[in-house]
Amino acid sequence: MEIEFLHVFDKNETYHITELAKLLNLSSIQILELIAKINHLEPNLVVNTDSIYYLTKRFNWLNTDFVNKLLHQEQLDDYNFILMEKIESTNAHLLKNIDSYKDKTILSCNWQYSGRGRFGRKWLSHIGEDLAVSVVYHFNEDFNVGVLPLLCAVAVNRLFKNHNIRSLIKWPNDIYFENAKIAGILVENILRHKQFNVVIGIGLNNIIGQERNKFLVKVVLALDQLLSEFGSFGFPLLRREWLDNCLHLNEEVSIFQEGNIIATGIHSDITETGELIIKTDKDLQKFSSSAISLRLKNQNIDF
Ligand code: BTN
């Protein structure tokens, strides 16, 4: 109901409470309850003066026809786009129903209310403003899924750089700009019937103010191009691009596992198979992307 309400509201500038009640076939009390609920989700989204209600921001809704048209323009017709107005988590939904979703299915939404991040963290997106998108890919069992987070990071980082944002990558696939995280990626997979069913989930803060439908298709295009580059040329060049855009190469970092520091040293490289290399006092240590997180030693920011 919240999204339906916002769709109606979005079309006009101001409404009296009774007009909203009539439009949505609800009582004035129900409208007030709905407004309270919405403002709880996003503080001060609906405000009023003298019983005239208005929104403090405009929404940029996703639209299936528009996205399909843009996918066609970019020659991405082999992708199947699904839009849900409201969903708990696009990744969780796809993983739970993975048998029903074929290769190159894109799922996005106008409001993801319980997005998830790495290590069970929460991912917050603003309604009708940020982008939460997940794409299904099916790979053969010999595909190196370990490098996928790094490939996705390169793809999303390129996207921001194409919009003149000097973004950087933090291990393994967070995108930062001026010490703030602007995109997070969650790659999840299931190995079944000799196939990796992979869900690549990307959450983007729309700091460039892009039209969301166009932004979404640009994300898919960036992913598609990256995967095709990887298919043709392998990891070496993309590994170089990851390193060249890394936030902490040659910096002192700490490596965490389940909240505990397990290594401290200089981030010196990544391997040909996408593991992080840390030069400690004693030796070189390698870490794969799935289990660890990284924090920069000499910065105040909690990454
Ligand atoms: C992280 O930084 O920890 C990863 C965040 C990933 C968020 C995206 S939004 C789309 C997809 N659906 C989810 O529930 N999570 C991912």
Side-chain angles (χ1 to χ4, degrees):
M1 198 63 202
E2 295 93 335
I3 286 277
E4 202 183 329
F5 174 88
L6 292 173
H7 271 291
V8 167
F9 214 157
D10 197 31
K11 294 205 179 91
N12 228 320
E13 294 295 333
T14 54
Y15 279 109
H16 192 273
I17 197 86
T18 50
E19 290 176 298
L20 285 168
K22 207 166 162 193
L23 275 169
L24 285 147
N25 214 7
L26 295 172
S27 68
S28 296
I29 299 286
Q30 283 171 317
I31 293 289
L32 288 172
E33 282 169 0
L34 203 52
I35 290 173
K37 217 165 152 188
I38 289 167
N39 281 339
H40 182 68
L41 299 166
E42 255 189 68
N44 295 322
L45 189 53
V46 188
V47 294
N48 79 90
T49 16
D50 301 332
S51 301
I52 299 293
Y53 284 77
Y54 56 96
L55 295 176
T56 50
K57 75 171 192 194
R58 309 296 318 159
F59 295 101
N60 180 192
W61 301 115
L62 289 177
N63 175 287
T64 307
D65 290 343
F66 191 20
V67 170
N68 281 330
K69 187 175 149 203
L70 295 167
L71 286 170
H72 179 66
Q73 277 173 10
E74 297 296 347
Q75 299 179 331
L76 294 168
D77 300 278
D78 46 348
Y79 283 81
N80 178 36
F81 175 63
I82 302 169
L83 173 63
M84 296 205 181
E85 284 298 329
K86 172 183 166 184
I87 192 170
E88 185 181 355
S89 149
T90 51
N91 261 41
H93 177 86
L94 287 174
L95 272 182
K96 202 164 118 200
N97 304 287
I98 197 73
D99 286 336
S100 325
Y101 292 116
K102 45 182 190 126
D103 188 43
K104 300 195 175 181
T105 298
I106 309 161
L107 174 63
S108 190
C109 57
N110 277 317
W111 178 29
Q112 177 173 258
Y113 59 89
S114 188
R116 58 188 206 200
R118 295 178 76 230
F119 308 114
R121 294 182 196 130
K122 283 210 174 305
W123 179 262
L124 292 176
S125 316
H126 293 101
I127 304 173
E129 180 181 345
D130 296 327
L131 210 54
V133 54
S134 299
V135 189
V136 174
Y137 289 103
H138 294 172
F139 297 110
N140 290 335
E141 63 176 339
D142 55 0
F143 187 88
N144 179 4
V145 283
V147 296
L148 265 179
L150 309 186
L151 300 182
C152 296
V154 172
V156 175
N157 193 56
R158 273 186 194 174
L159 187 65
F160 281 108
K161 292 192 108 172
N162 287 343
H163 286 90
N164 298 322
I165 302 285
R166 279 192 269 146
S167 51
L168 290 165
I169 303 171
K170 184 191 152 275
W171 175 264
N173 55 11
D174 293 339
I175 309 298
Y176 274 79
F177 175 58
E178 292 179 346
N179 293 336
K181 184 163 162 177
I182 55 170
I185 300 167
L186 178 65
V187 181
E188 299 182 278
N189 65 69
I190 309 173
L191 180 60
R192 288 233 304 259
H193 314 304
K194 297 186 183 270
Q195 243 196 359
F196 276 114
N197 298 328
V198 178
V199 176
I200 297 175
I202 306 177
L204 300 119
N205 296 350
N206 196 353
I207 60 158
I208 45 180
Q210 267 277 298
E211 199 290 315
R212 274 171 90 229
N213 294 276
K214 292 185 180 165
F215 200 23
L216 183 138
V217 172
K218 282 184 183 173
V219 173
V220 178
L221 183 63
L223 263 186
D224 191 76
Q225 282 174 345
L226 221 287
L227 288 171
S228 120
E229 272 177 49
F230 179 66
S232 306
F233 309 111
F235 191 47
L237 282 177
L238 299 170
R239 170 182 164 274
R240 193 61 258 161
E241 188 171 338
W242 191 97
L243 284 167
D244 288 344
N245 287 278
C246 177
L247 181 70
H248 42 72
L249 185 65
N250 300 322
E251 298 281 344
E252 191 166 7
V253 297
S254 297
I255 304 301
F256 286 75
Q257 191 165 39
E258 290 171 7
N260 303 312
I261 295 192
I262 53 166
T264 297
I266 304 293
H267 168 215
S268 60
D269 207 347
I270 54 173
T271 66
E272 295 293 337
T273 45
E275 295 150 303
L276 183 81
I277 302 181
I278 302 295
K279 193 168 174 244
T280 70
D281 287 346
K282 299 189 200 91
D283 52 12
L284 288 181
Q285 292 189 21
K286 291 183 198 165
F287 300 94
S288 76
S289 68
S290 50
I292 56 136
S293 58
L294 174 151
R295 199 171 289 174
L296 260 106
K297 200 79 196 292
N298 295 323
Q299 292 205 1
N300 248 344
I301 311 141
D302 182 8
F303 287 110

